[in-house]
Amino acid sequence: MAPKGKIEIDEELCKECGLCITVCRTDNIAFSSRLNSSGFHPASFKDNGKCTGCTLCAVMCPDGAIEVFRA
Amino acid sequence: MKKVYSRPKSLKPTKFHYCPGCGHSTVHRLICEVIDELSIADRTIGVCPAGCAVIAYNYFDVDMIEAAHGRGCAVATGIKRVLPDRVIFTYQGDGDLAAIGTAETLHAANRGENFTIIFINNAVYGMTGGQMAPTTLTGQFSTTTPFGRSEKLDGYPIRVSELLAQLPGTVYIERCAVNSPLNINRTKKALKKAFLYQMDNDFGLTMIEILSQCPTNWKMSPPDACRWMEEVMMKEYPLGIIKDVTAIKGAE
Ligand code: SF4
Ligand code: SF4
Ligand code: SF4
């Protein structure tokens, strides 16, 4: 089945706070090993096929780094 | 796929200067979402504080003005009286509003000035490095209460919302928080309701107190800070409507 949702994270805005990771119920976000220009490991979308596009991660993100899409 | 969530238009694409996980930027975004939904960007004027949010004007794509420390409510009073058709909000932290600005805040509330105070309560002085604020919890550690705040030595945490609710000039006061998606959505609803009231009336102060995480000075990770708010801070500062004599039902 095609995933119902997806997110895009602006890696430059991300500050590695981890709040999106704690609220995602489909375990779909993890820190990447890359560094952004501020020296943070930005969160990245795992795209494990289970994203529902629920928007919880984007609502929680203090830095407005997440956009959510739904089928 | 269709885009269902992105940054509001009236929030500039600027990167926030706040610490990782700080609640300030969440509140900024919510204010901008409400401004967009009410289509009032061209007639909103915000008043910035001293404190971590001192350069908040860098983020809002609406008219903003910087007040001297604590004087936000006096400045907002002046603007609203000269331009009564504008939507005016002050953005103030606990040091700004509840310490140096107590007099201005209390008297603006007592006069029933028709603007909205957005009061950020993170129980600490953020920008200056984590000293005790009037709102610091009993027993809470800060750089000036290294053994925990003592009621005998330092007084009690001030519940500003309950205090102002006693004045006939206040019409709507709600305490919210930005530590979870549920509470964030409730905060947005409260902000919208306060703005709607202000737009439809010419008297009465509205205030939304927002419990906001300061992971840096609490010396916690952002997820721990959000949990601490639920488990400890909300016992002293319970969420909910403190006063509501408006006829406006919940926004949305
Ligand atoms: S939209 Fe929901 S399911 Fe998808 S990544 Fe965000 S929190 Fe997880
Ligand atoms: S909540 Fe936002 S800033 Fe924090 S880790 Fe996730 S994407 Fe980055
Ligand atoms: S010191 Fe606290 S309130 Fe100030 S930006 Fe950092 S986390 Fe936010």
Side-chain angles (χ1 to χ4, degrees), chain A:
Chain A
M1 211 174 71
K4 286 195 211 133
K6 68 165 186 168
I7 61 167
E8 279 174 15
I9 301 175
D10 185 328
E11 298 200 343
E12 273 306 304
L13 291 179
C14 176
K15 295 196 192 128
E16 201 183 340
C17 74
L19 292 176
C20 54
I21 297 175
T22 62
V23 298
C24 178
R25 292 174 187 169
T26 64
D27 185 26
N28 233 324
I29 310 173
F31 293 127
S32 68
S33 50
R34 293 181 296 279
L35 289 175
N36 66 17
S37 65
S38 308
F40 294 115
H41 296 100
S44 84
F45 183 44
K46 289 195 207 168
D47 208 359
N48 65 14
K50 292 191 217 147
C51 175
T52 57
C54 69
T55 74
L56 290 181
C57 53
V59 169
M60 195 65 209
C61 175
D63 285 280
I66 305 180
E67 291 192 330
V68 185
F69 300 81
R70 220 177 277 153

Side-chain angles (χ1 to χ4, degrees), chain B residues 99-165:
Chain B
I100 191 166
T102 320
E104 284 78 3
T105 307
L106 196 85
H107 290 288
N110 195 42
R111 293 189 305 267
E113 299 292 343
N114 182 225
F115 60 81
T116 302
I117 299 176
I118 298 165
F119 167 42
I120 306 299
N121 179 354
N122 56 18
V124 80
Y125 278 98
M127 184 185 70
T128 48
Q131 294 83 358
M132 186 191 86
T135 45
T136 297
L137 305 181
T138 299
Q140 187 182 336
F141 296 96
S142 71
T143 53
T144 46
T145 54
F147 307 106
R149 180 176 187 164
S150 136
E151 288 162 353
K152 198 166 158 220
L153 207 63
D154 312 309
Y156 296 83
I158 292 184
R159 291 184 181 162
V160 179
S161 288
E162 283 82 348
L163 206 66
L164 296 189

Side-chain angles (χ1 to χ4, degrees), chain B residues 160-249:
Chain B
V160 179
S161 288
E162 283 82 348
L163 206 66
L164 296 189
Q166 295 170 31
L167 302 172
T170 56
V171 288
Y172 170 51
I173 299 179
E174 180 162 351
R175 188 181 287 118
C176 304
V178 288
N179 68 322
S180 69
L182 177 69
N183 286 336
I184 289 172
N185 287 335
R186 285 185 178 148
T187 303
K188 179 174 166 187
K189 218 166 128 187
L191 289 167
K192 198 173 195 178
K193 183 170 159 176
F195 280 12
L196 280 171
Y197 175 86
Q198 186 189 150
M199 290 157 69
D200 286 349
N201 294 277
D202 57 12
F203 175 85
L205 188 108
T206 44
M207 178 168 92
I208 310 302
E209 173 177 350
I210 303 171
L211 306 186
S212 173
Q213 61 276 13
C214 175
T216 301
N217 286 306
W218 298 354
K219 310 208 185 309
M220 295 177 196
S221 71
D224 284 348
C226 290
R227 266 191 296 275
W228 183 81
M229 288 165 76
E230 203 84 44
E231 289 162 8
V232 181
M233 197 176 179
M234 289 177 199
K235 303 270 189 310
E236 179 66 39
Y237 299 112
L239 303 189
I241 294 173
I242 315 284
K243 178 178 188 178
D244 186 7
V245 296
T246 69
I248 298 179
K249 297 268 176 296

Side-chain angles (χ1 to χ4, degrees), chain B residues 13 15 17-18 57 71 75 88 100 197 252:
Chain B
K15 189 171 181 171
H17 73 285
Y18 301 109
Y57 48 75
R71 316 302 176 221
V75 172
I88 313 292
I100 191 166
Y197 175 86
E252 224 115 304

